[in-house]
Amino acid sequence: MPRLAIGMVVYDRRYEMPGTITDFDGPMVCLIRPTGLEWRTHCATVRPATDYERRQLQAIARLHTQRQRGTAPA
């Protein structure tokens, strides 16, 4: 398994969603999504994100940006 690193996009099997690693706290990994949702999970529950999951996170970021500007439907 590749080494986990800050800035890496991973998939959290416990919460069933991808996120970006922001920090480590012992065996815990701190994650964030483009919407600002932050959570902590055990490092054993994450794995590197697939290409599909990375694209999914990028799409969420684009949609969130559009909604913040008021240019996307709710």
Side-chain angles (χ1 to χ4, degrees), residues 49-65:
T50 63
D51 288 341
Y52 174 81
E53 291 157 349
R54 280 192 289 281
R55 286 192 307 269
Q56 181 184 29
L57 205 60
Q58 290 168 348
I60 290 167
R62 282 192 303 275
L63 180 61
H64 182 68
T65 299

Side-chain angles (χ1 to χ4, degrees), residues 26-71:
M28 303 301 283
V29 179
C30 302
L31 302 171
I32 191 167
R33 286 181 50 100
T35 58
L37 173 67
E38 298 181 60
W39 75 101
R40 288 172 21 123
T41 192
H42 196 278
C43 64
T45 68
V46 299
R47 60 164 171 73
T50 63
D51 288 341
Y52 174 81
E53 291 157 349
R54 280 192 289 281
R55 286 192 307 269
Q56 181 184 29
L57 205 60
Q58 290 168 348
I60 290 167
R62 282 192 303 275
L63 180 61
H64 182 68
T65 299
Q66 289 173 345
R67 286 188 175 167
Q68 292 297 98
R69 286 190 216 144
T71 59

